[in-house]
Amino acid sequence: LPAHARQGLGSALVRAAMREAWHDGHDDMTLTTYRDLPWTAPFYARLGFAEVVDGAVGGSFLARQRAHEQALGLDRHGPRIAMRARLGRPSPGQVNGE
């Protein structure tokens, strides 16, 4: 809902997921999204995600994910991309949820 936009809730949720993935031993996080919508790929880019060149990350899982999205018809709404962020040691404030 627009009334809840621009309050940092989405960023906080993504950062929390990134912290959990890092604490679980993962080195990176990959997602798929729409390339051309101004509130998707740019949003993730601000959080440290960069577009993945086909085949550069995820291997067969990413290929299966994209095939599944295509089967669902998601591509009819616009081009989709994969994005990846390297996960690193969070700062002390990030560990405490600040």
Side-chain angles (χ1 to χ4, degrees), residues 4-90:
H4 298 289
R6 311 290 308 164
Q7 296 180 24
L9 301 174
S11 296
L13 287 170
V14 173
R15 286 186 181 110
M18 293 170 78
R19 277 193 307 275
E20 287 299 314
W22 182 82
H23 284 293
D24 284 347
H26 299 281
D27 295 322
D28 55 34
M29 179 179 281
T30 305
L31 59 85
T32 57
T33 190
Y34 289 101
R35 184 187 69 209
D36 297 333
L37 295 177
W39 58 87
T40 58
F43 165 77
Y44 292 115
R46 286 191 298 275
L47 296 172
F49 287 83
E51 187 171 350
V52 174
V53 177
D54 286 342
V57 154
S60 62
F61 172 78
L62 189 54
R64 286 192 315 271
Q65 177 64 28
R66 284 295 298 126
H68 178 68
E69 291 176 355
Q70 290 166 340
L72 291 173
L74 296 181
D75 289 27
R76 74 176 174 264
H77 301 294
R80 294 189 55 81
I81 58 169
M83 298 182 81
R84 177 183 71 173
R86 298 289 299 163
L87 304 176
R89 180 166 296 282

